[in-house]
Amino acid sequence: MSLEAFLDDFERRNWQRVSDGTVRIAVIGLGWWTVDQAIPAIDASGLCETTVTVSSTSEKAKRVAAGVETATHGLSYDEFHAGEAADAYDAVYICSPNALHLPYARTAAELGKAVLCEKPIEASSERGQQMVDACDEAGVPLIVGYRMHTEPAIRRARKLIRDGVIGDPVHAIGTNSQAMLELISDPNQWRLDPELAGPGATVTDIGIYPLNTCRFLLDSDPVAAQAFMQSSHDAFDQVPDEHSSFMVEFDDGTYLAATASQNAQATTSLRIVGTNGEILVEPAFHMETEIRVTRDDVSVTLDTPQVNQMTELFDYAADRILTDAPIGPDGEHGVLDMRLIEAVYEAGESGRVVTLD
């Protein structure tokens, strides 16, 4: 079958069940990502609105809320935990340091609110599992914010792989790097603090993108990992992975070889190689995504519309909340990622292959 025969049948939002309804969201953690990316993305959503802002002080929260047309309350963290304004929102979006996800998710669950949490799920798999248990016990949905799962180009690549356009997948090669200290100059930022970020700075924060996107594209789960890491810049003296490379074995017999750096030229890509072709995603993870498909001797760069990836994520989360439909990146999915990340760090420290039990 020719390559062109595979390229016509694609529905951008085949996950969508509803086109109306509103999920009111309390955004927790008002750092630059929430203010510059998440809140505008919610504003552009057809299914969500920001009604509550939550930060370290009610003054800051109210200041941010004043700039959001739909927001009615600004709360401190303590006020949130006390249940103030609980009738003003239906779900929370947690964008705090990783090690603080659990207490906010637990409070939200106790209040009967759905939880959308940034990746990774928590700073450890144990704490991530506690989040899952808290949400399960309260009967509320838990969604981990893997925005690549709803990115149209990535979803199209997944369908092409499932349709056999590249034959049987064999291996994947991924990279994700950025100059962290140019984005946030503070060397004391939480991403460089293991007590807040988890076991490291690079695999946990950006290496998770090729890792999880590969899981999604191949519909497979990890079974083993090996890794190399090093840190030489003074700002990274508390973490092992200013730069990292790692290999993951999946349960279908495929492999991912990936590199990630928090102190390098910004670049992203993911290549899935099969027995009859390949799919190259480049750029991949920095809010722009394009794919090129090769089958035998024919290559095509697909015209896939660029979207606001965060708006796609919020609409997906709202759709799941409104319809009670199955969640792809649920809490258990996030916990398995965290178990793999822990295995990668253990492999980097020990110099051996680490299996996931």
Side-chain angles (χ1 to χ4, degrees):
M1 184 180 292
S2 67
L3 177 58
E4 289 75 8
F6 289 96
L7 301 182
D8 294 332
D9 181 24
F10 174 70
E11 182 181 353
R12 171 184 155 188
R13 284 188 168 192
N14 59 355
W15 48 263
Q16 189 160 4
R17 306 287 183 88
V18 296
S19 57
D20 57 11
T22 301
V23 174
R24 301 169 303 159
I25 296 180
V27 293
I28 302 174
L30 301 180
W32 73 272
W33 182 263
T34 300
V35 173
D36 295 343
Q37 296 288 348
I39 291 176
I42 295 170
D43 184 58
S45 164
L47 298 173
C48 305
E49 63 182 20
T50 300
T51 54
V52 177
T53 58
V54 185
S55 191
S56 54
T57 67
S58 58
E59 289 77 15
K60 178 179 179 180
K62 288 175 181 176
R63 185 169 66 251
V64 173
V68 181
E69 182 177 356
T70 55
T72 56
H73 296 79
L75 306 176
S76 69
Y77 294 138
D78 288 342
E79 289 168 339
F80 168 76
H81 287 303
E84 293 193 24
D87 59 349
Y89 60 94
D90 310 302
V92 299
Y93 167 66
I94 303 172
C95 190
S96 66
N98 302 335
L100 301 180
H101 292 178
L102 174 58
Y104 300 130
R106 183 178 281 145
T107 293
E110 291 171 352
L111 294 170
K113 309 301 182 181
V115 177
L116 170 60
C117 178
E118 268 299 336
K119 56 79 197 159
I121 188 171
E122 241 282 353
S124 72
S125 59
E126 180 181 3
R127 290 176 64 82
Q129 188 60 53
Q130 291 178 44
M131 282 180 61
V132 173
D133 294 342
C135 291
D136 283 349
E137 290 170 9
V140 300
L142 170 58
I143 306 165
V144 183
Y146 292 107
R147 56 184 167 82
M148 305 315 295
H149 286 219
T150 51
E151 212 292 328
I154 296 297
R155 295 187 68 84
R156 189 171 192 183
R158 188 187 199 209
K159 185 178 187 302
L160 290 170
I161 292 169
R162 287 180 164 184
D163 287 347
V165 69
I166 63 170
D168 296 326
V170 176
H171 65 260
I173 304 167
T175 191
N176 194 4
S177 65
Q178 63 184 14
M180 172 193 278
L181 295 174
E182 292 182 10
L183 296 171
I184 305 173
S185 60
D186 183 4
N188 297 314
Q189 61 182 281
W190 67 262
R191 288 176 178 83
L192 296 173
D193 181 351
E195 291 189 2
L196 292 174
T202 296
V203 180
T204 304
D205 186 40
I206 61 175
I208 194 172
Y209 280 95
L211 183 160
N212 182 264
T213 306
C214 192
R215 281 187 66 194
F216 178 69
L217 289 175
L218 299 179
D219 197 18
S220 57
D221 289 330
V223 296
Q226 61 183 122
F228 299 91
M229 300 176 179
Q230 64 102 352
S231 294
S232 58
H233 192 289
D234 289 346
F236 294 85
D237 61 359
Q238 298 299 309
V239 297
D241 60 331
E242 176 185 350
H243 313 290
S244 64
S245 64
F246 53 94
M247 179 172 285
V248 176
E249 179 185 1
F250 294 101
D251 57 4
D252 61 357
T254 59
Y255 293 86
L256 165 68
T259 58
S261 175
Q262 290 281 25
N263 193 17
Q265 172 71 27
T267 186
T268 70
S269 65
L270 182 62
R271 185 187 302 268
I272 309 293
V273 180
T275 53
N276 299 109
E278 68 171 29
I279 291 178
L280 174 63
V281 186
E282 187 176 25
F285 309 123
H286 290 180
M287 304 300 283
E288 287 183 289
T289 306
E290 294 183 4
I291 56 176
R292 188 180 77 221
V293 182
T294 300
R295 179 180 171 88
D296 299 324
D297 297 326
V298 179
S299 293
V300 176
T301 298
L302 300 188
D303 182 15
T304 302
Q306 297 298 306
V307 300
N308 184 317
Q309 295 176 357
M310 290 299 292
T311 297
E312 295 291 300
L313 172 63
F314 282 112
D315 277 350
Y316 175 85
D319 186 88
R320 304 296 97 167
I321 293 166
L322 290 168
T323 64
D324 199 29
I327 297 166
D330 61 8
E332 294 290 357
H333 184 93
V335 169
L336 182 55
D337 261 5
M338 203 61 223
R339 288 181 57 214
L340 173 57
I341 287 169
E342 290 167 342
V344 168
Y345 282 103
E346 182 182 345
E349 181 178 7
S350 67
R352 61 182 177 83
V353 175
V354 176
T355 59
L356 280 72
D357 297 329

